[in-house]
Amino acid sequence: MRPPASGLAEWLARVAYASVLRLGTPAYLWRVWSRGRVEPDYRLRWWERLGFYREDHRARLSESRAQGGPLVWVHAVSLGEARAASALVTALRQQAPGMRLLLTHGTATGREAGKALLRKDQGDLQTWLPYDTPGAVRRFLRMHKPDVGVLMETEVWPVLQHETLRAGVPMVLANARLSEKSLRQGLRLSVLLRPAVHALRAVLAQTESDAQRLRVMIDGASRPTLQVCGNVKFDMTPAPVLLSLGQGWRAASQPGLPARPIVLAASTREGEEAGLVQAWKDVALKSGQGDSEGVAVPRLWIVPRHPQRFEEVAALVQAQGLSLSRRSQWPGGLPDAKALGADVWLGDSMGEMPAYFAAARVALLGGSFAPLGGQNLIEAAACGCPIVMGPSTFNFAEAAELSEAAGAARRVGDWAQGVAEAMTWSASPAHAGSVDRCLAFAQAHRGAAERMARLILAELNPRGA
């Protein structure tokens, strides 16, 4: 079918893009299989990434359809998006109690975290997002027939958007954010990406700044509609059992006096840990703090963002001459005498980040000490953990500014300043007030999930499942 003359460039770009991806399918599958060496879940049901489904999945889908109710498809590519989706899914269920959830992911950590959102008795399903080729996407859509699709944060795919538009599946970009860097990249590829954005029904932005950048990408088109709804990550409620676990770790880590507070390096990224460990040796371990004042040097707890880097970070710490204890090796889940004697703890578990924040007096924000844009600091605030952040926070620019203004976070220029600030803050008599300010900051910005759920459900496709 020939495209209209006005859309020829977009059509050619999409055809070229799809052709390249088709040719690259073997390389894509090899990459997935290779990552499975470290994270075995990458090899789980790999054929679903190409839109092929075995009989057991078809049977679950048939059982799901028998439940009735609309099928709401939510794509949460990785761990952060899956965590954010939890608040949105809760709000969707409250407003549409009979809905069925189709949850898709692109990473193993996202898929593992997403399992907690599923209700099998309500007909929920989980699978991989199809590879962005026409065949894989069409097979996925023909199989599942979602009534509405929700893409979390930044996930816009040219073929996926084109095929959902053809299939009549309304698509919403929820909790949408767009940095200046991403906007520049998107404009360079506008012939490919702008039609994908125009195929959306609605874009629900986190902030007005995000909305302004998204308007540039939309470029005056009548679709999609654009609204600022806030950030659903403020609606994430830490599980009480995890907060209790973290408080237990804190108590177990200081069995005697003087108390030894925990400084958490949360969600560190590749290239950051070397600077952190060196700064810790130079600032914390050489400070001698506590020798005369009865206050112990804080304990460093590193939690890498990606589980495939656990071994790498452990080796780096030990290569620097520091002793290490790993969370996964604690007998009974609590630090033993050997752990209490270690210089550094490694958080090598999944799904326990609220517990890590609950254990810490102060957290250093990973991803912000390298030019990576920072990680989610809202979860730390919701757990009552003050944050020391580095200079790079463009992924959460408004949240970073608001948290700093609220007294829940402080900004520094590098790891040395960060370690020194964390040590000072953790020992300060004003720390308790900082905890209160963190909780108040997190509470003040709630409500985005309810707003987004209402707008998503308004787009429900009336054709049914």
Side-chain angles (χ1 to χ4, degrees):
M1 181 177 68
R2 287 177 62 90
S6 61
L8 180 60
E10 289 90 349
W11 179 79
L12 288 173
R14 190 174 62 253
V15 169
Y17 166 84
S19 298
V20 170
L21 262 63
R22 283 194 190 98
L23 293 173
T25 297
Y28 166 73
L29 292 177
W30 175 249
R31 181 173 178 271
V32 168
W33 196 257
S34 296
R35 292 198 68 173
R37 294 171 184 166
V38 178
E39 297 178 78
D41 280 359
Y42 270 97
R43 298 180 177 182
L44 178 70
R45 295 180 173 270
W46 60 267
W47 50 86
E48 293 180 353
R49 293 179 181 269
L50 301 181
F52 296 109
Y53 304 92
R54 288 188 173 175
E55 195 58 40
D56 61 337
H57 186 87
R58 294 172 183 271
R60 286 196 298 272
L61 181 58
S62 178
E63 293 171 0
S64 174
R65 287 182 176 140
Q67 298 276 351
L71 182 64
V72 178
W73 163 32
V74 176
H75 175 59
V77 60
S78 193
L79 179 61
E81 291 80 6
R83 287 174 174 168
S86 64
L88 180 58
V89 169
T90 297
L92 286 167
R93 293 193 196 278
Q94 289 172 346
Q95 296 182 33
M99 65 160 270
R100 298 170 293 132
L101 176 66
L102 171 61
L103 199 56
T104 61
H105 313 279
T107 70
T109 54
R111 183 162 182 150
E112 180 62 28
K115 291 178 181 177
L117 306 183
L118 301 175
R119 295 184 183 177
K120 296 295 181 65
D121 60 335
Q122 290 189 202
D124 292 354
L125 299 158
Q126 187 180 38
T127 185
W128 296 112
L129 183 75
Y131 189 45
D132 204 33
T133 58
V137 173
R138 288 170 189 165
R139 286 188 288 271
F140 168 83
L141 293 174
R142 284 198 300 265
M143 171 64 65
H144 297 98
K145 297 182 175 63
D147 292 289
V148 66
V150 181
L151 307 174
M152 295 296 296
E153 298 200 359
T154 59
E155 288 286 297
V156 177
W157 295 93
V159 170
L160 182 72
Q161 295 308 110
H162 177 71
E163 295 298 334
T164 52
L165 184 63
R166 287 185 59 191
V169 179
M171 299 295 292
V172 177
L173 185 63
N175 214 41
R177 60 183 174 90
L178 188 68
S179 67
E180 289 287 352
K181 179 181 178 182
S182 296
L183 175 59
R184 289 193 299 270
Q185 293 172 340
L187 292 176
R188 284 197 293 270
L189 297 171
S190 61
V191 69
L192 185 63
L193 294 180
R194 189 161 274 154
V197 173
H198 291 169
L200 295 164
R201 286 281 188 88
V203 174
L204 311 179
Q206 293 184 16
T207 70
E208 181 56 41
S209 296
D210 290 309
Q212 290 175 3
R213 290 185 285 270
L214 286 160
R215 288 188 189 101
V216 175
M217 200 67 208
I218 293 170
D219 191 30
S222 59
R223 263 182 40 179
T225 59
L226 176 62
Q227 296 193 47
V228 177
C229 293
N231 192 334
V232 297
K233 291 182 179 179
F234 281 107
D235 293 300
M236 296 167 59
T237 302
V241 65
L242 292 177
L243 295 179
S244 178
L245 176 63
Q247 291 159 4
W249 288 341
R250 178 188 291 189
S253 72
Q254 45 191 38
L257 293 176
R260 191 173 182 187
I262 293 170
V263 170
L264 178 71
S267 297
T268 57
R269 301 279 295 277
E270 186 173 5
E272 288 192 307
E273 292 90 0
L276 166 63
V277 173
Q278 187 60 55
W280 192 261
K281 290 172 65 177
D282 292 343
V283 178
L285 299 184
K286 290 183 181 179
S287 69
Q289 184 182 11
D291 292 345
S292 59
E293 299 178 9
V295 180
V297 174
R299 188 186 307 279
L300 177 62
W301 202 341
I302 304 176
V303 183
R305 171 70 174 172
H306 299 114
Q308 64 267 28
R309 299 189 58 246
F310 290 159
E311 297 299 330
E312 172 191 340
V313 175
L316 184 151
V317 170
Q318 292 171 323
Q320 290 292 317
L322 301 177
S323 56
L324 181 79
S325 177
R326 302 176 66 137
R327 152 73 181 104
S328 63
Q329 297 176 0
W330 291 349
L334 292 174
D336 57 8
K338 182 179 179 181
L340 294 176
D343 296 315
V344 178
W345 287 355
L346 178 66
D348 59 346
S349 63
M350 296 299 297
E352 292 185 337
M353 189 56 74
Y356 290 123
F357 284 128
R361 293 272 289 182
V362 176
L364 295 156
L365 183 64
S368 69
F369 289 88
L372 299 169
Q375 300 300 141
N376 176 22
L377 56 83
I378 298 169
E379 188 173 21
C383 296
C385 182
I387 281 284
V388 176
M389 54 191 176
S392 180
T393 55
F394 59 78
N395 284 331
F396 299 91
E398 184 171 273
E401 293 175 7
L402 291 172
S403 65
E404 191 174 6
R410 297 176 183 175
R411 190 183 295 276
V412 296
D414 56 32
W415 278 121
Q417 295 175 18
V419 169
E421 184 63 44
M423 290 177 60
T424 301
W425 206 354
S426 67
S428 170
H431 179 269
S434 299
V435 172
D436 292 339
R437 286 190 287 273
C438 285
L439 297 172
F441 163 68
Q443 182 65 32
H445 297 278
R446 294 174 67 88
E450 186 277 331
R451 290 188 288 271
M452 290 187 192
R454 184 176 65 253
L455 294 168
I456 289 165
L457 294 173
E459 297 291 345
L460 272 174
N461 192 336
R463 65 181 168 79

